[in-house]
Amino acid sequence: MAVITLLAKRIDNKVRPTPKSSIQQHLISGSLSYVVIFVPLLVILYIALSLVEYGVFFECVILFFAASFQPQKRTFIKVQQALNNEKKLLARQWLSSIVKRDTEVLSPIGIGKAAIEALILRYVYQILTPILVYLAFGVVMALAYRIALECYWQWKQPRNPDDSFSKPMALVCRIFQFIPMLITLLLCFLFIVKRTKVSRENVTTSKPKLTLKTLSPLLFHTVGKRLGFTLGGPVQYSGIRKKLPRYGSPTQVKMSDMLVTVYTLNTITLVVSGFLLILTTVLIVA
């Protein structure tokens, strides 16, 4: 994925219209940039897979890269370890590699909260969604989604609310992520044991509504409620502060909650892996 990330950055630098260009021109440029550069590569890959003798092996290799998540998980662990060792500056530095917000203004609680949110979203975006897209549409579509996700992350400009260049990729990603998000919500309800935490803190939280644009807040609310801590709240991008609602339980995040989140995602991974193993066995026997 490093090559795709580098290519997406270069496309952004060379193809993005000027800020004075019309919104329509930004939308067209954002759509055609992906179509012209990556669609021919995906078509060639599809043809190549149909010709090779051991297609399943190559599909597994491609899916491995499309569902790459371990680097982000290792970074999360390094953030947690830095916080445990009271190395706040190091924790901010590691966190800045997996989030786009301004990490230099975050407190230890803010660092832990931002890291948990990034880990949860990246787990859904980078593991569950590619796997489900692969099961439904094949490995080429799974790779096409992952490329669109990388392009969106590189093209998005958080400080520009009217950024239209990345909107086509944002729409594509949201369509692919909708069902995996709902499945993750269901798994959280079924397999996360609700934790009750006693605290004197009184953080006001709210419950988001179920819409295509608020699935992420709803996921934060569900995880926060089940695990007993608060997610969401104000964020700052490129010096611009945005006041967002808080979700989950009215208890601030602690360092131990970061490891609990990792264990929770590992549990969901085991459940999904078991389901896929059973499904594969049934298909082979049938």
Side-chain angles (χ1 to χ4, degrees):
M1 287 297 111
V3 176
I4 300 299
T5 301
L6 180 61
L7 185 57
K9 289 181 179 180
R10 292 187 176 181
I11 292 173
D12 186 19
N13 294 332
K14 293 184 177 181
V15 179
R16 182 187 290 268
T18 62
K20 296 181 179 180
S21 302
S22 64
I23 295 177
Q24 185 178 6
Q25 186 174 349
H26 278 262
L27 293 173
I28 294 175
S29 297
S31 302
L32 290 181
S33 298
Y34 181 88
V35 171
V36 172
I37 301 298
F38 296 109
V39 169
L41 297 177
L42 295 170
V43 171
I44 294 173
L45 178 62
Y46 176 80
I47 296 174
L49 287 175
S50 63
L51 297 177
V52 297
E53 185 173 356
Y54 301 101
V56 176
F57 170 77
F58 290 101
E59 286 186 3
C60 292
V61 173
I62 295 172
L63 183 62
F64 173 79
F65 288 102
S68 173
F69 176 69
Q70 287 304 315
Q72 288 73 30
K73 187 176 180 180
R74 287 194 294 267
T75 300
F76 178 86
I77 296 299
K78 290 177 180 178
V79 172
Q80 190 269 336
Q81 292 173 347
L83 288 176
N84 278 344
N85 295 328
E86 298 183 354
K87 297 180 179 179
K88 186 167 58 174
L89 294 179
L90 182 60
R92 289 171 175 170
Q93 182 178 356
W94 282 117
L95 180 63
S96 63
S97 65
I98 57 175
V99 300
K100 284 201 169 186
R101 67 180 66 181
D102 297 341
T103 58
E104 64 274 6
V105 299
L106 294 176
S107 64
I109 292 178
I111 294 172
K113 189 187 300 183
I116 290 174
E117 293 172 1
L119 186 72
I120 294 171
L121 289 180
R122 284 180 174 269
Y123 178 81
V124 177
Y125 295 166
Q126 297 180 218
I127 289 187
L128 291 185
T129 303
I131 291 176
L132 292 178
V133 172
Y134 167 70
L135 293 176
F137 305 107
V139 70
V140 175
M141 286 300 295
L143 183 61
Y145 157 75
R146 183 57 191 272
I147 293 175
L149 180 65
E150 294 294 334
C151 288
Y152 170 64
W153 280 342
Q154 298 305 318
W155 297 349
K156 182 181 178 182
Q157 296 181 341
R159 66 179 302 173
N160 182 11
D162 298 325
D163 177 27
S164 299
F165 184 74
S166 64
K167 284 184 178 179
M169 293 301 99
L171 179 60
V172 170
C173 292
R174 284 174 181 167
I175 292 174
F176 279 115
Q177 293 163 359
F178 186 77
I179 299 299
M181 276 283 192
L182 292 180
I183 293 176
T184 305
L185 286 169
L186 178 61
L187 292 175
C188 291
F189 274 115
L190 294 178
F191 297 101
I192 298 180
V193 179
K194 189 171 184 179
R195 302 168 68 207
T196 302
K197 297 170 66 175
V198 179
S199 175
R200 296 179 180 179
E201 299 169 352
N202 185 19
V203 181
T204 303
T205 60
S206 58
K207 184 177 181 180
K209 298 180 180 179
L210 178 61
T211 66
L212 183 61
K213 291 185 177 181
T214 58
L215 279 181
S216 298
L218 186 59
L219 182 60
F220 291 157
H221 182 77
T222 302
V223 173
K225 274 289 186 183
R226 304 298 290 181
L227 296 182
F229 51 75
T230 300
L231 293 175
V235 296
Q236 181 171 311
Y237 295 100
S238 302
I240 301 176
R241 186 177 177 85
K242 296 182 180 180
K243 188 175 182 180
L244 301 177
R246 293 182 173 89
Y247 308 108
S249 174
T251 304
Q252 289 287 15
V253 168
K254 298 180 180 179
M255 298 305 103
S256 59
D257 294 327
M258 298 181 70
L259 288 179
V260 171
T261 304
V262 174
Y263 298 148
T264 299
L265 296 181
N266 289 340
T267 301
I268 294 177
T269 300
L270 289 175
V271 172
V272 174
S273 300
F275 172 77
L276 294 178
L277 180 61
I278 294 174
L279 178 62
T280 303
T281 304
V282 171
L283 292 177
I284 293 175
V285 172

PDB file of all heavy atoms in Angstrom, residues 254-266:
ATOM      1  N   LYS A 254      -9.136   5.811  30.118  1.00  0.00           N
ATOM      2  CA  LYS A 254      -7.923   5.539  30.889  1.00  0.00           C
ATOM      3  C   LYS A 254      -6.970   4.706  30.039  1.00  0.00           C
ATOM      4  O   LYS A 254      -7.364   4.120  29.036  1.00  0.00           O
ATOM      5  CB  LYS A 254      -8.267   4.815  32.187  1.00  0.00           C
ATOM      6  CG  LYS A 254      -9.160   5.619  33.120  1.00  0.00           C
ATOM      7  CD  LYS A 254      -9.464   4.844  34.391  1.00  0.00           C
ATOM      8  CE  LYS A 254     -10.355   5.671  35.326  1.00  0.00           C
ATOM      9  NZ  LYS A 254     -10.686   4.916  36.559  1.00  0.00           N
ATOM     10  N   MET A 255      -5.722   4.611  30.480  1.00  0.00           N
ATOM     11  CA  MET A 255      -4.730   3.888  29.698  1.00  0.00           C
ATOM     12  C   MET A 255      -5.095   2.414  29.561  1.00  0.00           C
ATOM     13  O   MET A 255      -4.828   1.789  28.536  1.00  0.00           O
ATOM     14  CB  MET A 255      -3.348   4.021  30.345  1.00  0.00           C
ATOM     15  CG  MET A 255      -2.821   5.450  30.417  1.00  0.00           C
ATOM     16  SD  MET A 255      -2.786   6.293  28.818  1.00  0.00           S
ATOM     17  CE  MET A 255      -4.230   7.360  28.949  1.00  0.00           C
ATOM     18  N   SER A 256      -5.698   1.845  30.601  1.00  0.00           N
ATOM     19  CA  SER A 256      -6.093   0.441  30.542  1.00  0.00           C
ATOM     20  C   SER A 256      -7.166   0.201  29.484  1.00  0.00           C
ATOM     21  O   SER A 256      -7.272  -0.904  28.936  1.00  0.00           O
ATOM     22  CB  SER A 256      -6.606  -0.021  31.914  1.00  0.00           C
ATOM     23  OG  SER A 256      -7.725   0.761  32.319  1.00  0.00           O
ATOM     24  N   ASP A 257      -7.954   1.229  29.160  1.00  0.00           N
ATOM     25  CA  ASP A 257      -9.007   1.074  28.153  1.00  0.00           C
ATOM     26  C   ASP A 257      -8.423   0.848  26.760  1.00  0.00           C
ATOM     27  O   ASP A 257      -9.086   0.263  25.900  1.00  0.00           O
ATOM     28  CB  ASP A 257      -9.904   2.317  28.135  1.00  0.00           C
ATOM     29  CG  ASP A 257     -10.687   2.482  29.431  1.00  0.00           C
ATOM     30  OD1 ASP A 257     -11.041   1.450  30.025  1.00  0.00           O
ATOM     31  OD2 ASP A 257     -10.931   3.630  29.839  1.00  0.00           O
ATOM     32  N   MET A 258      -7.205   1.278  26.530  1.00  0.00           N
ATOM     33  CA  MET A 258      -6.592   1.080  25.222  1.00  0.00           C
ATOM     34  C   MET A 258      -6.334  -0.405  24.968  1.00  0.00           C
ATOM     35  O   MET A 258      -6.599  -0.921  23.881  1.00  0.00           O
ATOM     36  CB  MET A 258      -5.288   1.881  25.120  1.00  0.00           C
ATOM     37  CG  MET A 258      -5.481   3.391  25.255  1.00  0.00           C
ATOM     38  SD  MET A 258      -3.948   4.335  25.102  1.00  0.00           S
ATOM     39  CE  MET A 258      -3.579   4.114  23.371  1.00  0.00           C
ATOM     40  N   LEU A 259      -5.830  -1.100  25.984  1.00  0.00           N
ATOM     41  CA  LEU A 259      -5.606  -2.538  25.835  1.00  0.00           C
ATOM     42  C   LEU A 259      -6.926  -3.296  25.752  1.00  0.00           C
ATOM     43  O   LEU A 259      -7.042  -4.279  25.014  1.00  0.00           O
ATOM     44  CB  LEU A 259      -4.767  -3.067  27.005  1.00  0.00           C
ATOM     45  CG  LEU A 259      -3.285  -2.656  27.013  1.00  0.00           C
ATOM     46  CD1 LEU A 259      -2.586  -3.227  28.234  1.00  0.00           C
ATOM     47  CD2 LEU A 259      -2.600  -3.119  25.738  1.00  0.00           C
ATOM     48  N   VAL A 260      -7.915  -2.840  26.500  1.00  0.00           N
ATOM     49  CA  VAL A 260      -9.236  -3.473  26.429  1.00  0.00           C
ATOM     50  C   VAL A 260      -9.801  -3.377  25.014  1.00  0.00           C
ATOM     51  O   VAL A 260     -10.409  -4.320  24.503  1.00  0.00           O
ATOM     52  CB  VAL A 260     -10.203  -2.828  27.447  1.00  0.00           C
ATOM     53  CG1 VAL A 260     -11.631  -3.316  27.231  1.00  0.00           C
ATOM     54  CG2 VAL A 260      -9.762  -3.147  28.862  1.00  0.00           C
ATOM     55  N   THR A 261      -9.577  -2.256  24.355  1.00  0.00           N
ATOM     56  CA  THR A 261     -10.046  -2.083  22.979  1.00  0.00           C
ATOM     57  C   THR A 261      -9.361  -3.074  22.042  1.00  0.00           C
ATOM     58  O   THR A 261      -9.998  -3.657  21.160  1.00  0.00           O
ATOM     59  CB  THR A 261      -9.782  -0.644  22.501  1.00  0.00           C
ATOM     60  OG1 THR A 261     -10.402   0.278  23.403  1.00  0.00           O
ATOM     61  CG2 THR A 261     -10.348  -0.429  21.109  1.00  0.00           C
ATOM     62  N   VAL A 262      -8.062  -3.268  22.223  1.00  0.00           N
ATOM     63  CA  VAL A 262      -7.328  -4.236  21.395  1.00  0.00           C
ATOM     64  C   VAL A 262      -7.887  -5.638  21.608  1.00  0.00           C
ATOM     65  O   VAL A 262      -8.121  -6.389  20.644  1.00  0.00           O
ATOM     66  CB  VAL A 262      -5.825  -4.198  21.723  1.00  0.00           C
ATOM     67  CG1 VAL A 262      -5.087  -5.307  20.984  1.00  0.00           C
ATOM     68  CG2 VAL A 262      -5.238  -2.848  21.352  1.00  0.00           C
ATOM     69  N   TYR A 263      -8.112  -6.028  22.866  1.00  0.00           N
ATOM     70  CA  TYR A 263      -8.661  -7.351  23.157  1.00  0.00           C
ATOM     71  C   TYR A 263     -10.054  -7.514  22.542  1.00  0.00           C
ATOM     72  O   TYR A 263     -10.414  -8.589  22.059  1.00  0.00           O
ATOM     73  CB  TYR A 263      -8.734  -7.575  24.672  1.00  0.00           C
ATOM     74  CG  TYR A 263      -7.397  -7.548  25.358  1.00  0.00           C
ATOM     75  CD1 TYR A 263      -7.261  -7.083  26.669  1.00  0.00           C
ATOM     76  CD2 TYR A 263      -6.250  -7.963  24.691  1.00  0.00           C
ATOM     77  CE1 TYR A 263      -6.032  -7.052  27.299  1.00  0.00           C
ATOM     78  CE2 TYR A 263      -5.007  -7.929  25.321  1.00  0.00           C
ATOM     79  CZ  TYR A 263      -4.908  -7.473  26.622  1.00  0.00           C
ATOM     80  OH  TYR A 263      -3.685  -7.433  27.240  1.00  0.00           O
ATOM     81  N   THR A 264     -10.831  -6.431  22.561  1.00  0.00           N
ATOM     82  CA  THR A 264     -12.175  -6.478  21.990  1.00  0.00           C
ATOM     83  C   THR A 264     -12.122  -6.728  20.490  1.00  0.00           C
ATOM     84  O   THR A 264     -12.859  -7.563  19.951  1.00  0.00           O
ATOM     85  CB  THR A 264     -12.914  -5.165  22.276  1.00  0.00           C
ATOM     86  OG1 THR A 264     -13.024  -4.976  23.687  1.00  0.00           O
ATOM     87  CG2 THR A 264     -14.310  -5.190  21.659  1.00  0.00           C
ATOM     88  N   LEU A 265     -11.249  -6.005  19.798  1.00  0.00           N
ATOM     89  CA  LEU A 265     -11.107  -6.207  18.351  1.00  0.00           C
ATOM     90  C   LEU A 265     -10.565  -7.592  18.033  1.00  0.00           C
ATOM     91  O   LEU A 265     -10.948  -8.199  17.020  1.00  0.00           O
ATOM     92  CB  LEU A 265     -10.208  -5.126  17.757  1.00  0.00           C
ATOM     93  CG  LEU A 265     -10.733  -3.694  17.844  1.00  0.00           C
ATOM     94  CD1 LEU A 265      -9.756  -2.726  17.196  1.00  0.00           C
ATOM     95  CD2 LEU A 265     -12.106  -3.575  17.201  1.00  0.00           C
ATOM     96  N   ASN A 266      -9.690  -8.109  18.882  1.00  0.00           N
ATOM     97  CA  ASN A 266      -9.201  -9.478  18.691  1.00  0.00           C
ATOM     98  C   ASN A 266     -10.336 -10.484  18.822  1.00  0.00           C
ATOM     99  O   ASN A 266     -10.396 -11.478  18.081  1.00  0.00           O
ATOM    100  CB  ASN A 266      -8.103  -9.793  19.706  1.00  0.00           C
ATOM    101  CG  ASN A 266      -6.811  -9.043  19.418  1.00  0.00           C
ATOM    102  OD1 ASN A 266      -6.597  -8.584  18.300  1.00  0.00           O
ATOM    103  ND2 ASN A 266      -5.957  -8.923  20.415  1.00  0.00           N
TER     104      ASN A 266
END
